[in-house]
Amino acid sequence: LEADAHHLMTDVWTSAGVLVAIGAVALTGWYILDAVIAIAVALNILWTGWQLLYRSVNGLMDAALPPEEIEHIRQILERYVAQEGISYQSLKTRQAGARKFVSVHILVAGDWTVQKAHDLIDIIETDIEQSLFGCHVLTHLEPIEAPSSHHF
């Protein structure tokens, strides 16, 4: 639909360009104006086509979330770092269409019970998902003391 709308607008600009060129040449006698206006119309068509192609390809590609949303996620995580004494790493984000995906490793003290750690990551996941519309959060739980938890 969007491409059809832009196609219609390029037809309108082409028709307007023809009328303007005829009028400009008739008024001035400068035949070069016909070519200049035709080039301007052609450049507009190329620009419109490029924008449509760019937006279409970007719609099919996964991309990281915008920096302000990543910062928002970090602020949520930092709140739990301060309150609960946890850490986090390997924060990764992507967006596919309207869906947002967040993956993060949550590092907790090794002496925590599985239930305590699980309850906390449920809360963290819910906080992030409620603050970013269309977001799905996947967490990976690790003991902070494990050597493998120190890879980024």
Side-chain angles (χ1 to χ4, degrees):
L1 290 174
E2 183 181 353
D4 282 342
H6 284 290
H7 178 232
L8 178 62
M9 284 309 299
T10 59
D11 286 348
V12 168
W13 285 112
T14 301
S15 298
V18 168
L19 294 175
V20 168
I22 290 171
V25 170
L27 289 174
T28 64
W30 297 351
Y31 292 102
I32 190 74
L33 289 178
D34 182 41
V36 169
I37 293 171
I39 290 170
V41 169
L43 290 173
N44 178 52
I45 292 170
L46 289 172
W47 178 249
T48 301
W50 169 253
Q51 287 178 316
L52 282 170
L53 181 64
Y54 181 78
R55 289 181 58 195
S56 295
V57 169
N58 275 344
L60 298 173
M61 306 299 276
D62 288 355
L65 294 180
E68 57 275 1
E69 290 184 1
I70 294 172
E71 181 57 31
H72 181 71
I73 294 166
R74 287 188 190 283
Q75 289 173 357
I76 292 171
L77 293 169
E78 289 298 331
R79 186 172 70 232
Y80 289 100
V81 167
Q83 290 174 356
E84 302 289 340
I86 65 164
S87 187
Y88 69 93
Q89 65 184 23
S90 301
L91 175 62
K92 298 176 183 146
T93 67
R94 70 182 178 92
Q95 185 163 353
R99 296 288 299 160
K100 300 172 183 179
F101 300 91
V102 175
S103 172
V104 62
H105 293 200
I106 304 293
L107 288 71
V108 301
D111 60 354
W112 279 25
T113 66
V114 172
Q115 186 65 53
K116 180 179 179 179
H118 188 269
D119 290 346
L120 179 63
I121 63 171
D122 278 348
I123 293 168
I124 293 171
E125 288 174 0
T126 300
D127 278 359
I128 295 170
E129 288 172 349
Q130 288 180 347
S131 70
L132 295 173
F133 178 75
C135 183
H136 175 74
V137 180
L138 177 66
T139 54
H140 178 78
L141 188 61
E142 295 184 28
I144 201 164
E145 299 86 3
S148 64
S149 69
H150 299 288
H151 60 79
F152 292 81

